[in-house]
Amino acid sequence: MLPEFKVAQLRHFVWVAELKGFHLAAEKAHRTQPAISLSIRDLENKLGEALFEKHNSRAAKTELTPFGKHFLPKAKELLAHHDRIAEDMTLLAEHKTGHLRIASVPSIASRFLPELLLNFIGERKLHVSVFDDNSGAVLKMIENQQVDFGIASLFDEQGESEKHFTPVWEDRLGVVCPNDHPLASSSELHWQALRQYRLISNGTSRLLEGSEAESLLAHSQYYISNMISLVAMLEAGFGVTTLPWYAFPKDNSRLTFIPLHTPMITRRIGIIRLNNKSLTPPAQALVDFILASQS
């Protein structure tokens, strides 16, 4: 049967060997000398060999036996490995290290995440991977456990019982068009005003489903999933689209956002995670930080 080493005993052995005495090792360990002697004796019993030479003179320096000399680097190696693991786990538990994987819809990834992550990470040595995609793709990444949690809309909350949704942000659906478009001068729009124009649908267009404007989805001849491509097509005057306010490129001077008043549709965006899975300490800390920051 293999001996089971106690970390404290290994540490006492190394200190006695390095400091050349039980008294100095006891001072370093903040223990009595008999306690250190007992610790070493128990370790020797486990090993079945003496670690230190037996001297008649109490003044003689403590010397390692040949077996002790062979065991010393092994003991140091075990302690170094233990201390590395202990440090890693402590840093992980204190949210100071680890790898965060987050999936988010582009509107939140571009508008809110940069400042949130900057303030949260601070001096922490965290590795962070952010994947931005539409809500459907974010949900898939959560289901496949490719990310710790996602930030998206949960369109069918009744059918997503395995996921937990915590709402954080809310914005309103509107129409986006070029500044020189006939609709650009409107303060609010009725959905029927869009029927006479070329409509481009996108990943957020499903917000129209179940509303009186749902027929616009069939009226739409074009679909563009990528936001950069969508903005380029809108700027070129290819047509108009519907977008939630946070998805509208806020620094764009060539496009206009007009709120849709009939129907008035709002989008809820929040943190989505699997119900039956615990988050890593850094991921849980980030979730708590986001909720506290946006409350």
Side-chain angles (χ1 to χ4, degrees):
M1 185 175 177
L2 294 174
E4 294 187 6
F5 301 124
K6 292 181 180 179
V7 172
Q9 290 178 334
L10 294 175
R11 213 176 295 280
H12 294 160
F13 163 64
V14 170
W15 287 343
V16 171
E18 289 181 338
L19 298 173
K20 306 293 184 182
F22 284 77
H23 179 71
L24 292 176
E27 288 184 346
K28 184 167 184 175
H30 303 289
R31 303 286 299 277
T32 64
Q33 184 168 326
I36 297 299
S37 297
L38 183 62
S39 177
I40 297 299
R41 189 155 52 248
D42 187 47
L43 179 60
E44 289 176 328
N45 289 335
K46 289 178 180 178
L47 292 167
E49 288 284 345
L51 294 169
F52 296 99
E53 298 287 3
K54 309 300 182 185
H55 291 285
N56 293 325
S57 172
R58 299 181 66 180
K61 287 186 176 181
T62 304
E63 292 183 82
L64 287 166
T65 63
F67 182 86
K69 291 177 181 178
H70 183 78
F71 183 62
L72 181 60
K74 305 293 184 183
K76 288 182 176 180
E77 184 180 343
L78 281 170
L79 285 172
H81 185 62
H82 167 273
D83 292 348
R84 281 196 301 270
I85 293 175
E87 182 180 16
D88 287 348
M89 292 302 99
T90 300
L91 290 173
L92 183 63
E94 293 176 351
H95 327 135
K96 294 179 180 178
T97 189
H99 193 163
L100 280 170
R101 296 174 177 85
I102 310 160
S104 172
V105 290
S107 54
I108 302 302
S110 59
R111 280 192 180 235
F112 296 101
L113 268 189
E115 184 176 358
L116 283 169
L117 287 174
L118 183 65
N119 292 333
F120 172 74
I121 292 173
E123 299 300 317
R124 296 179 172 97
K125 295 180 180 180
L126 287 168
H127 296 277
V128 182
S129 297
V130 177
F131 307 90
D132 67 315
D133 214 323
N134 59 47
S135 287
V138 170
L139 292 178
K140 285 293 184 186
M141 294 188 76
I142 298 169
E143 291 168 4
N144 296 333
Q145 299 183 46
Q146 295 171 267
V147 293
D148 296 303
F149 64 88
I151 298 174
S153 296
L154 198 58
F155 291 103
D156 183 14
E157 295 185 34
Q158 297 298 320
E160 296 288 356
S161 59
E162 77 277 10
K163 300 182 185 69
H164 183 267
F165 176 73
T166 305
V168 181
W169 297 275
E170 188 172 290
D171 59 356
R172 185 176 171 183
L173 193 69
V175 177
V176 178
C177 63
N179 291 339
D180 57 358
H181 194 276
L183 294 175
S185 59
S186 306
S187 58
E188 289 185 320
L189 287 172
H190 190 287
W191 71 271
Q192 290 183 341
L194 305 181
R195 298 185 68 89
Q196 59 183 306
Y197 300 105
R198 180 186 288 142
L199 189 64
I200 308 170
S201 63
N202 59 76
T204 67
S205 297
R206 63 180 300 181
L207 290 166
L208 297 170
E209 293 176 359
S211 75
E212 58 186 289
E214 185 173 11
S215 61
L216 288 174
L217 296 174
H219 173 66
S220 175
Q221 185 178 353
Y222 304 97
Y223 174 85
I224 300 176
S225 63
N226 181 273
M227 183 57 65
I228 295 176
S229 300
L230 177 62
V231 168
M233 297 295 276
L234 291 169
E235 288 179 342
F238 195 76
V240 302
T241 194
T242 58
L243 279 176
W245 169 242
Y246 288 148
F248 177 69
K250 60 180 180 179
D251 296 325
N252 191 295
S253 59
R254 299 172 63 181
L255 300 176
T256 297
F257 179 92
I258 311 110
L260 193 66
H261 75 79
T262 305
M264 183 179 291
I265 299 174
T266 57
R267 174 183 67 158
R268 293 200 310 163
I269 308 169
I271 294 170
I272 306 174
R273 50 183 291 187
L274 293 177
N275 270 328
N276 60 344
K277 296 291 182 182
S278 298
L279 295 177
T280 64
Q284 184 62 60
L286 177 56
V287 167
D288 295 340
F289 180 81
I290 291 173
L291 295 178
S293 300
Q294 301 303 308
S295 62

